Amino acid sequence: NAGVTQTPKFRILKIGQSMTLQCAQDMNHNYMYWYRQDPGMGLKLIYYSVGAGITDKGEVPNGYNVSRSTTEDFPLRLELAAPSQTSVYFCASSLAGGLDEQFFGPGTRLTVL
Amino acid sequence: RKEVEQDPGPFNVPEGATVAFNCTYSNSASQSFFWYRQDCRKEPKLLMSVYSSGNEDGRFTAQLNRASQYISLLIRDSKLSDSATYLCVVNRHSGGYQKVTFGTGTKLQVIP
């Protein structure tokens, strides 16, 4: 099993550009999450999903959108990138939500200039 | 007050030392607790779950104190490879879903 995979590993965007961060898991987990981690800070939840077709906002959803058309994939869309979105983005999945271990992808390092 | 608070450190300890970290949480309805380890520029990985009765895994012991609302992690006989940031995670029900909150992490540096 590959676990949780994320692409790209690195990306530099210009202000106002858009992009999609890809996340996929092959563990048949229902729960999937997107976090961002700023330097020296904890992880902040952007969006999460409890199953295909069901998504909801986390703590810091502004400027982002998600979709969950399949169990495996949970892409994160950045519209109109801003310097404040410079961060490391982690995708994670779990079998039983908050009561269970979360498995993380390797992260995407995004810089907005 | 933050929902989950950790001392950021760094804790600089010599090899072989015993070190302990605490993590306090503000919501008494919190249900499940974990310690994750994060190496520099890597993703977090589960170190251990924290049970009400406490649990031990080799050199690592985790405990939960619900009365004082904190969890702790004890590392005995520290190794150089234990150098990392340790994140506590607290979960509770909120509005029909599980609210997951990560602490900002405690940095441990084990020195030779």
Side-chain angles (χ1 to χ4, degrees), chain A residues 4 6 33-37 41-44 88-93 101-109, chain B residues 6 34-48 84-89 100 102-105:
Chain A
V4 180
Q6 290 184 240
Y33 309 83
W34 274 106
Y35 295 92
R36 60 177 286 173
Q37 186 176 34
M41 304 295 286
L43 280 77
K44 292 188 185 294
V88 179
Y89 290 84
F90 289 106
C91 178
S93 73
E101 176 182 2
Q102 292 190 37
F103 294 84
F104 284 82
T108 294
R109 296 183 181 281
Chain B
Q6 293 184 254
F34 302 87
W35 283 104
Y36 280 72
R37 171 191 168 128
Q38 186 173 26
D39 293 302
C40 189
R41 300 175 74 83
K42 298 282 191 181
E43 72 272 24
K45 292 185 179 178
L46 181 69
L47 179 66
M48 58 199 307
T85 297
Y86 292 84
L87 307 171
C88 72
V89 180
V100 180
F102 279 76
T104 54

Side-chain angles (χ1 to χ4, degrees), chain B residues 85-100:
Chain B
T85 297
Y86 292 84
L87 307 171
C88 72
V89 180
V90 175
N91 295 297
R92 62 177 174 89
H93 274 299
S94 175
Y97 78 100
Q98 289 285 338
K99 182 168 191 246
V100 180

Side-chain angles (χ1 to χ4, degrees), chain A residues 39-83:
Chain A
M41 304 295 286
L43 280 77
K44 292 188 185 294
L45 183 64
I46 305 171
Y47 271 94
Y48 69 98
S49 169
V50 301
I54 307 170
T55 63
D56 208 345
K57 296 176 181 178
E59 184 182 355
V60 289
N62 291 345
Y64 307 95
N65 276 302
V66 293
S67 59
R68 183 100 182 266
S69 57
T70 66
T71 299
E72 294 78 19
D73 300 298
F74 190 41
L76 177 72
R77 177 86 178 156
L78 276 72
E79 305 282 2
L80 297 175

Side-chain angles (χ1 to χ4, degrees), chain B residues 14-111:
Chain B
E15 267 187 293
T18 295
V19 63
F21 312 132
N22 282 345
C23 167
T24 59
Y25 60 95
S26 61
N27 196 310
S28 60
S30 298
Q31 297 172 289
S32 58
F33 309 87
F34 302 87
W35 283 104
Y36 280 72
R37 171 191 168 128
Q38 186 173 26
D39 293 302
C40 189
R41 300 175 74 83
K42 298 282 191 181
E43 72 272 24
K45 292 185 179 178
L46 181 69
L47 179 66
M48 58 199 307
S49 304
V50 187
Y51 304 122
S52 297
S53 55
N55 49 310
E56 187 173 313
D57 183 4
R59 299 181 293 108
F60 299 83
T61 301
Q63 295 202 315
L64 167 63
N65 186 317
R66 284 196 182 272
S68 300
Q69 294 184 196
Y70 72 89
I71 63 173
S72 63
L73 177 67
L74 180 78
I75 306 174
R76 288 180 297 276
D77 189 24
S78 299
K79 312 289 185 194
L80 294 175
S81 58
D82 294 333
S83 298
T85 297
Y86 292 84
L87 307 171
C88 72
V89 180
V90 175
N91 295 297
R92 62 177 174 89
H93 274 299
S94 175
Y97 78 100
Q98 289 285 338
K99 182 168 191 246
V100 180
T101 305
F102 279 76
T104 54
T106 297
K107 187 171 182 179
L108 171 66
Q109 185 69 46
V110 181
I111 47 184

